[in-house]
Amino acid sequence: MKSAPQRPIFVSVNIKQKYMKLILRLGLILFTGFISISTASAQLYGTADTNAPELRVPTSVKPAFDYWMRDTWATLGPDGYYYITGTTSTPDRYFPGQRHCWDWNDGLYLWRSKDMKSWEARGQIWSMEKDGTWQKKPKVYKAGEKYQKKSINGDPMDNRFHAVWAPEMHYIKSVKNWFIVACMNESAGGRGSFILRSKTGKPEGPYENIEGNKDKAIFPNIDGSLFEDTDGTVYFVGHNHYIARMKPDMSGFAEELKTLKEKKYNPEPYIEGAFIFKYDNKYHLVQAIWSHRTSEGDTYIEKKGVTSPKTRYSYDCIISTADNVYGPYSERYNAITGGGHNNLFQDKDGNWWATMFFNPRGAQAAEYKVTCRPGLIPMIYENGKFKPNFNYNTNENFFIDSRQPGSGSDDVCAGQTEYYYHTGRRFGLLRSRLFRW
């Protein structure tokens, strides 16, 4: 009896080969997809979303008061007053174009408030000519010498360079005194950041250079800052990602400058306005970076042929966090579109606020009714990140009229023409004084 014919073995082999090819193809597709996703994720870091509604400055935010200012800084002092300072221009200076501070100004000014609604001008608290040492004299370019004749905004500039920029006021608890960090754009004695100490323990000063920058800048670049940790240790934070621990008596650096460990963009764009604070057991590194609207999408990464000064849209408040003050810091995120070069602080009730100055540069400036004014943005902290608080009621009515100042002995504005700035409220009018410009 003959057995049934068997199928050729090669048929079975062919089927196995087909399955193997299919599996290999699927594996290749999955692997390629993984690589593509990984590449896309890497490319996503550094992109921006200038239209994200939750990161925009709430329309309810108006200037806190009407005075020309950049780099607004605000803080709550131990005396129960809120204080504001910033980069200002000389009040009585004539400008052939728009008001600015790019070549020279006359010093630092201060405002205070009990409620962040009615602001009182405290006048000039530091002058280069009166209070400075190496900062005292301007850098004057002689006829025939080359110097920058127009600012980055196209403003005409003098041959005299002597401006103090980006002041920050810090009450250092460990030494129970007020300190100011600021920087000179240029002077006969050089440029860079320096730290001032109040000689009276009062925020109005007068102020003097600390020993570490009595004869020259303590840091050779702009935008210095201070941070006091919960254990009382104080750190200096500098432009271009630098940090150094201060001596306990705040007389100078206790260590060499170190570079902060950060997750940088690739390539890294120009960054300024560094500031550190601590909350929720995390160190929050705040920096200012320009967003660009380009043909390839919104981005923080500058690319030749794609980004340029004309593609700049907003000067953003960018934050990253770390478990150690030196880092490593996490990926950066945008906290406020248009809120760059600012600081964050808490009010008497523990609510968070951020400053802004309505930057006149970038395409976003066209959306503002007025630029270069101090602004306060209500903030909220959710899921480990800060963002504007749209549920906070900041709806106030403002108007201005001119009055003559008082002449009391404690009136630092006595004898000067000034403006009174009113906040219209349901239960009356609150008033604060402003210098005229």
Side-chain angles (χ1 to χ4, degrees), residues 42-261:
Q43 291 174 343
L44 284 174
Y45 186 57
T47 59
D49 184 358
T50 59
N51 292 307
E54 70 277 10
L55 302 179
R56 306 282 295 189
V57 176
T59 56
S60 59
V61 175
K62 311 297 181 186
F65 50 84
D66 189 29
Y67 197 90
W68 195 97
M69 183 184 296
R70 294 176 59 92
D71 314 322
T72 308
W73 176 273
T75 188
L76 174 61
D79 56 1
Y81 278 99
Y82 298 94
Y83 291 94
I84 279 183
T85 188
T87 305
T88 54
S89 61
T90 305
D92 57 356
R93 178 182 172 183
Y94 168 74
F95 292 88
Q98 61 183 355
R99 181 172 287 274
H100 68 85
C101 60
W102 297 115
D103 45 13
W104 60 272
N105 59 17
D106 64 341
L108 303 177
Y109 290 80
L110 181 67
W111 289 259
R112 73 177 184 181
S113 172
K114 277 286 188 180
D115 56 11
M116 293 200 298
K117 294 181 175 65
S118 175
W119 291 91
E120 175 191 1
R122 302 300 291 165
Q124 188 186 71
I125 59 172
W126 187 78
S127 162
M128 288 85 82
E129 289 86 354
K130 297 176 184 177
D131 307 307
T133 53
W134 60 272
Q135 310 102 322
K136 189 178 291 291
K137 296 182 180 180
K139 169 66 177 177
V140 180
Y141 288 87
K142 299 177 182 178
E145 287 186 302
K146 291 184 179 181
Y147 67 93
Q148 189 176 344
K149 293 181 172 60
K150 286 191 176 182
S151 75
I152 52 178
N153 289 339
D155 309 304
M157 297 197 295
D158 291 345
N159 65 330
R160 174 189 178 213
F161 286 78
H162 200 211
V164 56
W165 291 343
E168 298 183 1
M169 291 193 65
H170 296 266
Y171 182 79
I172 303 301
K173 297 177 183 178
S174 57
V175 293
K176 299 179 181 179
N177 202 0
W178 284 94
F179 291 81
I180 292 175
V181 193
C183 59
M184 296 295 301
N185 71 333
E186 209 168 342
S187 73
R191 69 188 297 268
S193 296
F194 55 93
I195 302 171
L196 304 174
R197 176 199 298 118
S198 175
K199 294 193 284 186
T200 62
K202 297 179 180 180
E204 294 87 355
Y207 285 86
E208 62 183 354
N209 279 291
I210 65 168
E211 292 75 8
N213 50 229
K214 187 176 181 179
D215 300 317
K216 63 178 181 179
I218 197 168
F219 180 67
N221 217 321
I222 61 172
D223 296 349
S225 182
L226 289 174
F227 161 65
E228 184 175 22
D229 209 338
T230 49
D231 64 357
T233 305
V234 181
Y235 299 87
F236 174 88
V237 182
H239 177 72
N240 276 346
H241 322 286
Y242 285 104
I243 187 170
R245 180 167 43 85
M246 297 289 295
K247 294 178 180 179
D249 63 359
M250 292 294 293
S251 61
F253 292 164
E255 63 181 0
E256 295 293 322
L257 285 163
K258 299 179 180 180
T259 303
L260 290 165
K261 297 177 183 178

